[in-house]
Amino acid sequence: MSIERSHRPQNVYDDPVFFNGYKKLRQNDTGLNGALEVPALHALLPNLSGKSILDLGCGFGDFARYARGAGAHSVTAVDVSQKMISEAERLTEDDLISYIHCSIEDFSPDEAESFEITTSSMALHYIRDYPAVVSQVFLGLVPGGRFVFSVEHPACTANPIGWHRSSDGFPLHWPLDRYQDEGARQTSWFVQDVTKYHRTVESYVMPLLTQGFRLDYLGEPKPLPEFLEARPELSETLRRPPVLLLSATKQE
């Protein structure tokens, strides 16, 4: 999949309605991040102590602060949203976290082999040219460096119309369609016409292998039991996977 570098990256997070809705979701932890995606991603990470880390799509800086708390030497955190960056800076008192207002597509490290770990949490499905990002990540990692990231699962992005429900609201089925038809999908999330890019599981994995990464892990995480007990509605996630989680190593 190719892209002209003049393509303007999407920045829905600076829309005031979207930003306020997303901020409330994360503050109240009513989404899938805290119950499913974040614990699974953290469990995949190597020891962060002393590591130089790049976080792509850093949002409010939650992972950057977590990584520093786990002993990371430094974190470079990138986001296309000025509102997100401003909020992250407000919440952070740490000179070894550097927040950069820049799209993932346009970010490139100042020097090759600058980072030992690159992470990205639920951001790369907003990216039109995923292989180009994989190439930049590979360039920025030291040999043996890790790339750990999550995206919305292709089973969800393929035909993003949500559950078909009964008259009383019970989820009957999640329709899967247009799976091999990759490209932009328009969805409604806080606002209308949010663009996400659907690609197959194969299309997430093969650019990693072609670039020279070794695939270490492919997962479809489930909510932790304690979250399922506290929030029974999360049982819907056991009927179709909401998150795809990948980990790869730049081979030495």
Side-chain angles (χ1 to χ4, degrees):
M1 192 183 304
S2 64
I3 179 177
E4 293 180 6
R5 300 310 293 168
S6 60
H7 171 73
R8 186 176 182 180
Q10 180 182 201
N11 184 13
V12 69
Y13 283 83
D14 272 349
D15 180 290
V17 174
F18 188 101
F19 177 80
N20 290 329
Y22 181 77
K23 183 178 179 181
K24 182 178 180 181
L25 178 75
R26 294 306 301 267
Q27 286 176 334
N28 296 332
D29 197 21
T30 56
L32 290 174
N33 296 78
L36 186 153
E37 184 266 342
V38 170
L41 189 147
H42 286 186
L44 270 186
L45 294 170
N47 187 340
L48 303 183
S49 181
K51 299 295 193 299
S52 175
I53 298 174
L54 171 65
D55 185 29
L56 296 174
C58 66
F60 297 129
D62 295 335
F63 176 77
R65 293 187 293 275
Y66 166 82
R68 284 284 293 141
H73 173 267
S74 61
V75 182
T76 299
V78 177
D79 205 283
V80 70
S81 166
Q82 182 59 65
K83 287 182 178 290
M84 290 286 187
I85 291 292
S86 296
E87 183 68 5
E89 290 174 336
R90 186 186 70 80
L91 294 169
T92 302
E93 295 182 2
D94 191 332
D95 292 338
L96 291 177
I97 297 177
S98 300
Y99 291 110
I100 298 177
H101 177 216
C102 179
S103 70
I104 294 173
E105 296 96 320
D106 292 333
F107 178 79
S108 59
D110 293 333
E111 297 180 7
E113 301 184 356
S114 301
F115 304 104
E116 293 160 284
I117 301 170
T118 294
T119 61
S120 183
S121 173
M122 301 300 284
L124 297 184
H125 49 258
Y126 294 110
I127 301 304
R128 187 179 179 187
D129 190 355
Y130 166 76
V133 173
V134 170
S135 179
Q136 284 295 96
V137 170
F138 189 87
L139 175 68
L141 283 170
V142 301
R146 294 278 297 278
F147 183 23
V148 182
F149 67 97
S150 62
V151 292
E152 188 169 353
H153 199 285
C156 297
T157 59
N159 186 35
I161 62 175
W163 291 99
H164 279 191
R165 297 181 181 271
S166 65
S167 58
D168 60 357
F170 181 79
L172 299 174
H173 57 272
W174 183 286
L176 178 62
D177 195 10
R178 298 178 60 200
Y179 185 78
Q180 297 290 353
D181 178 17
E182 299 188 331
R185 301 287 196 272
Q186 301 300 315
T187 66
S188 176
W189 190 36
F190 302 123
V191 297
Q192 297 294 321
D193 297 328
V194 177
T195 301
K196 297 178 182 179
Y197 289 91
H198 168 67
R199 51 185 63 90
T200 65
V201 173
E202 177 183 352
S203 290
Y204 275 115
V205 171
M206 288 308 298
L208 296 169
L209 302 181
T210 301
Q211 187 63 53
F213 281 103
R214 181 188 72 227
L215 183 66
D216 298 319
Y217 182 87
L218 185 155
E220 298 162 314
K222 299 178 291 186
L224 297 175
E226 57 266 33
F227 287 108
L228 277 173
E229 183 176 353
R231 295 168 54 190
E233 70 274 12
L234 289 173
S235 62
E236 291 183 2
T237 65
L238 304 179
R239 298 176 58 190
R240 64 91 180 89
V243 174
L244 177 67
L245 188 59
L246 294 166
S247 177
T249 299
K250 180 176 178 176
Q251 301 187 77
E252 300 189 45

